């Protein structure tokens, strides 16, 4: 009888461990900007380590959004790289980082965030369901449009600016980041 109980507990432990390992493997650590992005850390804890996102992190701090993006979420963040910010008209980033422009900066940043956790697969399913495009309402309140060209995922803003998703599915404890190559802008 005692041996049967031990065997049952061992089998249960084996199945639980197997399920945990399968879950852990589905949320792999991805490298972004030379740093590992750990699925057990939140969006801010990971982003601060990416060399490709120093401008984004500075902007999140200046807008006072650190606490929000460390919250439970879940959030889907389309995270522009430094080169995307560099491509904006000269002086734009510097102007947005000024304290008097905090509201405009907040609008730009929250325009890159969608409530909920949408993997690239989820977005692609929505695109297929939407006959070639998926409309997502951002935390800022305006819409982004997701679409595909071949196997590549793109996001467009209200003005038609296009951002390619260069690294999809960077899973975080409170959501997912999709790295993009362009800053998306709400109507201002």
């Amino acid at each position: 009888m005692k041996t049967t109980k031990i065997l049952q507990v061992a089998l249960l432990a084996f199945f639980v461990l197997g399920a945990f390992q399968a879950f852990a493997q589905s949320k792999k650590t991805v490298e972004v900007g030379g740093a590992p992005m750990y699925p057990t850390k939140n969006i801010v804890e990971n982003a601060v380590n990416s060399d490709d996102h120093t401008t984004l992190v500075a902007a999140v701090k200046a807008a006072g959004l650190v606490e929000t993006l460390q919250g439970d979420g879940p959030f889907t963040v389309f995270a522009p790289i430094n080169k995307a910010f560099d491509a904006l008209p000269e002086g734009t980033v510097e102007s947005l980082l000024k304290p008097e422009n905090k509201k405009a900066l907040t609008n730009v940043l929250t325009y890159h965030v969608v409530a909920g956790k949408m993997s690239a697969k989820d977005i692609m399913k929505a695109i297929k369901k939407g006959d070639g495009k998926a409309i997502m309402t951002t935390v800022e309140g305006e819409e982004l449009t997701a679409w595909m060209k071949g196997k590549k995922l793109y996001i467009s803003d209200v003005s038609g600016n296009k951002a390619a998703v260069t690294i999809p599915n960077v899973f975080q404890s409170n959501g997912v980041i999709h790295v993009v190559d362009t800053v998306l802008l709400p109507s201002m």
Side-chain angles (χ1 to χ4, degrees):
M1 182 86 159
K2 198 174 192 180
T3 306
T4 304
K5 287 275 188 206
I6 292 172
L7 193 55
Q8 288 174 339
V9 170
L11 280 172
L12 179 63
F14 175 77
F15 286 116
V16 168
L17 180 60
F20 177 76
Q21 287 175 332
F23 173 76
Q25 288 176 350
S26 71
K27 306 296 183 203
K28 292 181 181 174
T29 300
V30 176
E31 189 170 301
V32 176
M37 301 288 117
Y38 298 105
T40 56
K41 292 187 175 186
N42 67 48
I43 290 166
V44 174
E45 290 172 327
N46 275 321
V48 298
N49 295 314
S50 170
D51 289 342
D52 288 344
H53 291 93
T54 56
T55 304
L56 178 62
V57 169
V60 166
K61 289 177 181 178
L65 293 172
V66 171
E67 192 173 306
T68 301
L69 291 175
Q70 287 181 323
D72 291 338
F75 306 106
T76 298
V77 178
F78 298 100
I81 57 174
N82 293 339
K83 288 180 182 179
F85 284 99
D86 293 345
L88 292 171
E90 190 173 330
T92 301
V93 174
E94 293 77 12
S95 177
L96 283 171
L97 291 174
K98 291 180 180 177
E100 61 268 22
N101 294 326
K102 184 177 179 179
K103 183 173 177 17
L105 177 61
T106 300
N107 288 343
V108 169
L109 293 174
T110 57
Y111 188 60
H112 288 80
V113 181
V114 175
K117 187 176 187 177
M118 296 180 69
S119 69
K121 187 176 181 180
D122 296 331
I123 296 169
M124 288 181 216
K125 281 182 187 177
I127 292 168
K128 187 174 182 181
K129 187 177 178 181
D131 292 325
K133 63 181 176 178
I135 307 298
M136 301 173 286
T137 302
T138 68
V139 171
E140 182 266 345
E142 292 185 88
E143 296 176 340
L144 291 172
T145 302
W147 51 282
M148 305 233 2
K149 183 175 182 181
K151 293 184 179 190
K152 192 94 172 141
L153 179 60
Y154 289 87
I155 309 296
S156 296
D157 64 21
V158 292
S159 299
N161 297 311
K162 300 170 180 102
V165 174
T166 57
I167 303 175
N169 299 330
V170 184
F171 292 102
Q172 318 288 297
S173 64
N174 62 345
V176 59
I177 290 174
H178 302 289
V179 178
V180 294
D181 64 357
T182 303
V183 175
L184 300 161
L185 298 171
S187 59
M188 294 214 236

